[in-house]
């Protein structure tokens, strides 16, 4: 009975069943994560069998040369991707929300496609593109191609988050600033930008998370000897699993959870709604 | 281009911002409008150009390659255009893979729908605080590393894993689920469930609860009220969620690789094989093009139904 347009609460048995069911859904969501965390501390070479408590898999992770190199690569790529995607994505959001211009509809559609296209298709596209381009211009695949590919899908995600924030902004605020003799730039810098900041920060954390998580596209556009953490872990899983992978997985899990939680908090703090 | 033009753009965006003017003569307005258009294009240009170069051009590259000829070195000759690759799609093996992928994606979608609907409905009936909290706890797995979430099921379902231990303990004998289609569906449902919950919740949450009450006042029982009022009104959410689950399930690659084993070849993994192992680029490109066409058709349906709850 919260608002007049809301749905009234179900009563009696229905309510009990729905409530129990919802708890089960959360168990389904979080039990596998919990199991993974537990077994990352298991002293047994078999990944799903308990063999006493140990933290040795984590120390092995820290000293494993290929793993730490891959982690370093992932982080460097994520930083560049985040900065570029945030700038380009925010500009795209501003253009679409605030202006009418020639080709606006095509741009809008183009911006949505990377979000909905299956990973594999996008990976195939970029593989053929970069292979052809490498043939013509002579460069080797690796850091640059991975970074360029990640930006290609992250511009869209950032712009969606920022647009949601911009749509909730009162146009009159900027006009009021300009009535008070602020230049267009000053009005943007001191009125619009602070208002959409939670959206930009949320978009940035999202872009970073997606860049750190990507397997399929990265695997396709990477070159010889170049690997990111998820791609390396994926190749390990396919070769044969060890509990070392459990430990690495938990680290990746915790990292993305922290980033998401941070992004939700940032967007919520200043009265924004999560996109 | 014609397909893109059919995607309607929401008219809900803000009207063009006009600078504050003292005297708004028609000439001044027109000049102002022109300037605003130029400025808009200028701001859009960097990301627009980026997406054209690194998305639109690669997309066209795939389509072009699908009409090319495979050469002896595992590459493709960009001469002698033909539709052989599309004719190969009629092959029995390919048809089996297409059908298997579509069936698994459909089962995944139906399970997600069955699980998400009561959940999203319950969430929509809660107070604002609970509702937001419930939403956050759906969002967290949503953005958590997909590879890791699939790997977690690998650990659980393994032959000596926790699930097998439990079923042995209660006397059901060991479970052998890993590397079967059941495991793949489980992994897909786990991975894409939030894609269904979020649009469903958005659709149910915004509908007018008084309509449900009215139906009950008119002697509809719970099921009738659901069937004739709640379900039709939440249809945009059902369609949006189904597309958001079906499309990535159809092209899934990581999940079948980890949980499906060697026996369960699906569309996504098969396409990858064409590029990385079999080196039949035109054929892989043709399959990708078909997958993209399916995706595009589904997306147009989605926008037609007025959904935009991404």
């Amino acid at each position: 009975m919260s608002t007049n347009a809301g749905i009234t609460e179900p009563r009696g048995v229905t309510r009990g069943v729905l409530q129990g069911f919802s708890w089960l859904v959360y168990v389904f969501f979080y039990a596998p994560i919990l199991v993974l965390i537990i077994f990352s501390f298991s002293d047994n070479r078999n990944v799903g069998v308990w063999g006493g408590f140990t933290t040795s898999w984590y120390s092995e992770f820290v000293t494993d040369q290929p793993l730490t190199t891959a982690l370093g690569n992932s982080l460097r790529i994520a930083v560049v991707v985040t900065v570029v995607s945030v700038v380009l994505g925010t500009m795209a959001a501003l253009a679409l929300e605030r202006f009418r211009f020639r080709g606006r509809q095509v741009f809008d559609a183009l911006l949505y496609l990377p979000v909905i296209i299956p990973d594999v298709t996008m990976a195939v596209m970029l593989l053929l593109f970069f292979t052809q381009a490498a043939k013509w211009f002579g460069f080797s695949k690796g850091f640059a191609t991975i970074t360029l590919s990640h930006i290609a899908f992250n511009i869209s995600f950032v712009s969606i988050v920022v647009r949601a924030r911009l749509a909730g902004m009162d146009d009159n605020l900027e006009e009021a600033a300009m009535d008070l003799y602020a230049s267009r730039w000053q009005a943007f810098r001191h009125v619009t930008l602070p208002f959409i900041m939670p959206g930009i920060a949320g978009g940035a954390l999202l872009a970073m998370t997606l860049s750190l998580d990507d397997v399929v596209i990265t695997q396709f556009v990477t070159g010889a000897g170049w690997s990111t953490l998820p791609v390396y872990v994926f190749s390990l899983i396919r070769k044969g699993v060890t509990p070392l992978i459990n430990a690495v997985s938990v680290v990746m899990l915790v990292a993305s959870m922290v980033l998401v939680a941070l992004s939700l908090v940032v967007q919520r703090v200043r009265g924004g709604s999560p996109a | 281009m014609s397909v893109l033009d059919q995607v309607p753009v929401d008219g809900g965006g803000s009207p063009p911002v006009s600078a504050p003017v003292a005297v708004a003569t028609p000439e001044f307005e027109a000049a102002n409008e022109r300037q605003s258009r130029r400025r808009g294009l200028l701001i859009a240009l960097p990301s627009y150009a980026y997406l054209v170069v690194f998305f639109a051009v690669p997309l066209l590259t795939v389509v072009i390659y699908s009409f090319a000829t495979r050469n002896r070195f595992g590459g493709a000759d960009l001469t002698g255009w033909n539709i052989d690759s599309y004719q190969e799609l009629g092959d029995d093996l390919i048809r089996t893979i297409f059908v298997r992928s579509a069936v698994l994606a459909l089962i995944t979608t139906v399970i997600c729908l069955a699980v998400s609907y009561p959940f999203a409905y319950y969430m929509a009936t809660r107070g604002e605080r609970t509702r937001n909290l419930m939403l956050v706890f759906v969002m967290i797995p949503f953005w958590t590393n997909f590879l890791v979430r699939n790997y977690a099921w690998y650990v659980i379902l393994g032959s000596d894993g926790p699930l097998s231990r439990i079923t042995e303990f209660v006397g059901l004998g060991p479970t052998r689920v890993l590397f079967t289609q059941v495991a793949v569906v489980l992994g897909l449902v786990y991975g894409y469930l939030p894609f269904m919950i979020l649009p469903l919740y958005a659709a149910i949450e915004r509908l007018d609860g008084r309509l449900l009450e009215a139906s009950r006042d008119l002697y509809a029982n719970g099921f009738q009220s659901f069937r004739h009022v709640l379900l039709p009104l939440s249809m945009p959410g059902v369609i949006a969620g189904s597309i958001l689950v079906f499309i990535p399930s159809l092209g899934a690659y990581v999940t079948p690789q980890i949980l499906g084993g060697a026996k369960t070849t699906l569309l996504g993994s098969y396409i990858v094989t064409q590029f990385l192992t079999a080196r039949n680029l035109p054929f892989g490109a043709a399959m990708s093009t078909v997958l993209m066409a399916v995706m595009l058709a589904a997306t147009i349906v989605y926008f037609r139904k007025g959904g935009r709850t991404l």
Side-chain angles (χ1 to χ4, degrees):
Chain A
M1 293 300 260
S2 49
T3 54
N4 63 341
I7 301 171
T8 43
E9 268 188 49
R11 293 186 190 86
V13 183
T14 319
R15 188 190 156 164
V17 170
L18 283 175
Q19 192 168 21
F21 181 77
S22 301
W23 276 110
L24 278 180
V25 172
Y26 281 118
V27 169
F28 178 63
F29 269 140
Y30 288 93
I33 294 174
L34 200 67
V35 167
L36 196 60
I37 295 174
I38 292 170
F39 282 104
S40 73
F41 292 105
S42 165
D43 195 3
N44 190 318
R45 287 216 64 86
N46 193 325
V47 288
V49 180
W50 183 253
F53 182 86
T54 179
T55 54
S56 61
W57 305 116
Y58 288 92
S59 22
E60 199 174 312
F61 175 19
V62 182
T63 51
D64 189 302
Q65 189 67 45
L67 269 176
T68 47
T69 308
L71 176 65
N73 290 343
S74 276
L75 291 176
R76 274 192 293 155
I77 290 168
V79 169
V80 179
V81 167
T82 306
V83 172
V84 179
S85 312
V86 161
V87 173
L88 292 181
T90 304
M91 286 172 78
L94 276 168
L96 283 169
E97 276 300 311
R98 289 300 178 77
F99 297 96
R100 303 244 171 267
F101 52 90
R102 190 193 283 272
R104 182 178 180 277
Q105 296 206 354
V106 176
F107 181 45
D108 199 8
L110 190 61
L111 206 52
Y112 265 93
L113 278 177
V115 177
I116 43 190
I117 209 161
D119 273 1
V120 171
T121 334
M122 184 138 178
V124 166
M125 280 165 43
L126 290 163
L127 170 76
L128 289 181
F129 173 74
F130 282 126
T131 310
Q132 193 66 52
K135 225 181 279 171
W136 286 341
F137 303 110
F139 57 86
S140 57
K141 291 186 272 185
F143 180 83
T145 48
I146 299 172
T147 307
L148 289 169
S149 306
H150 285 194
I151 294 169
F153 65 81
N154 271 321
I155 290 177
S156 307
F157 282 99
V158 172
S159 78
I160 287 173
V161 178
V162 175
R163 267 183 95 173
R165 183 79 193 166
L166 262 176
M169 182 180 171
D170 189 349
D171 288 341
N172 294 325
L173 289 174
E174 214 173 77
E175 289 200 15
M178 287 193 287
D179 283 347
L180 295 166
Y181 302 106
S183 67
R184 223 165 217 291
W185 168 249
Q186 285 173 322
F188 171 75
R189 170 74 188 74
H190 296 289
V191 178
T192 309
L193 196 60
F195 184 86
I196 60 172
M197 216 33 172
I200 294 177
L205 288 162
L206 185 57
M208 185 169 266
T209 312
L210 292 176
S211 171
L212 286 174
D213 280 4
D214 182 72
V215 181
V216 184
I217 294 168
T218 309
Q219 198 195 1
F220 266 67
V221 300
T222 189
W226 247 88
S227 197
T228 61
L229 190 57
V231 169
Y232 186 65
V233 169
F234 189 47
S235 70
L236 286 184
I237 293 175
R238 291 195 296 176
K239 255 183 252 161
V241 290
T242 67
L244 173 62
I245 299 174
N246 293 11
V248 180
S249 298
V250 170
V251 171
M252 285 159 74
L253 200 81
V254 171
S256 43
M257 278 189 170
V258 167
L259 280 174
V260 178
L262 220 62
S263 126
L264 288 172
V265 167
V266 166
Q267 287 184 72
R268 193 163 294 268
V269 155
R270 289 172 243 186
S273 57
Chain B
M1 206 57 77
S2 62
V3 179
L4 291 180
D5 285 340
Q6 280 168 22
V7 178
V9 173
D10 69 322
S14 54
V17 178
S18 51
V21 285
V23 203
T25 62
E27 295 78 35
F28 192 96
E29 289 268 290
N32 205 33
E33 170 72 16
R34 267 200 307 278
Q35 202 199 2
S36 165
R37 277 170 181 273
R38 254 202 314 276
R39 195 171 270 140
L41 193 59
L42 212 63
I43 295 172
L45 207 57
S47 44
Y48 207 156
Y50 194 97
L51 285 177
V52 167
V53 175
F54 293 107
F55 189 84
V57 171
L59 199 146
L60 281 177
T61 312
V62 172
V63 178
I64 291 171
Y65 264 84
S66 72
F67 294 106
T69 314
R70 179 189 188 183
N71 68 22
R72 285 178 297 137
F73 315 107
D77 288 330
L78 297 179
T79 49
W81 307 105
N82 60 72
I83 55 163
D84 291 357
S85 302
Y86 288 93
Q87 279 166 343
E88 269 182 72
L89 292 175
D91 195 79
D92 273 347
L93 170 68
I94 310 305
R95 205 175 302 163
T96 313
I97 292 172
F98 259 112
V99 170
R100 185 192 289 150
S101 304
V103 168
L104 286 190
L106 197 65
I107 294 172
T108 304
T109 310
V110 170
I111 294 176
C112 281
L113 193 57
V115 173
S116 302
Y117 207 99
F119 182 84
Y121 173 75
Y122 181 70
M123 192 153 82
T125 62
R126 309 307 299 159
E128 192 158 349
R129 268 183 71 94
T130 325
R131 203 189 288 180
N132 285 337
L133 203 65
M134 286 180 81
L135 207 54
V136 168
F137 281 98
V138 174
M139 292 292 282
I140 291 175
F142 181 50
W143 292 121
T144 301
N145 195 302
F146 188 76
L147 173 70
V148 168
R149 283 187 291 149
N150 275 295
Y151 175 68
W153 281 101
Y154 180 98
V155 173
I156 292 174
L157 300 177
S159 52
D160 288 318
L163 184 74
S164 194
R165 284 293 157 86
I166 292 171
T167 51
E168 261 175 275
F169 183 76
V170 297
L172 289 169
T175 34
R176 293 280 177 266
V177 179
L178 192 62
F179 303 142
T180 65
Q181 301 195 4
V182 177
V184 175
V185 170
L186 196 61
L188 290 175
V189 169
Y190 187 65
Y192 298 130
L193 197 56
F195 284 109
M196 185 66 91
I197 292 177
L198 296 174
L200 267 183
Y201 166 73
I204 298 175
E205 193 255 351
R206 75 167 72 109
L207 66 83
D208 190 341
R210 287 172 300 185
L211 293 170
L212 286 175
E213 284 166 32
S215 73
R216 299 307 290 267
D217 286 347
L218 294 165
Y219 303 105
N221 62 32
F223 178 74
Q224 287 170 322
S225 169
F226 164 75
R227 170 75 186 74
H228 297 289
V229 182
L230 185 61
L231 189 60
L233 285 175
S234 56
M235 225 15 155
V238 173
I239 291 168
S242 301
I243 290 173
L244 290 179
V245 172
F246 186 81
I247 294 297
S249 300
L250 194 61
Y253 167 62
V254 171
T255 309
Q257 282 288 310
I258 295 179
L259 300 172
K263 284 172 294 177
T264 328
T265 307
L266 293 181
L267 202 51
S269 355
Y270 196 75
I271 291 177
V272 172
T273 320
Q274 295 311 308
F275 283 94
L276 299 186
T277 329
R279 304 292 293 168
N280 190 348
L281 304 190
F283 185 52
M287 287 183 86
S288 308
T289 306
V290 171
L291 188 60
M292 266 189 303
V294 171
M295 189 255 353
L296 217 57
T299 314
I300 289 166
V301 170
Y302 170 50
F303 279 107
R304 278 276 159 81
K305 295 283 174 187
R308 189 161 251 223
T309 43
L310 215 61

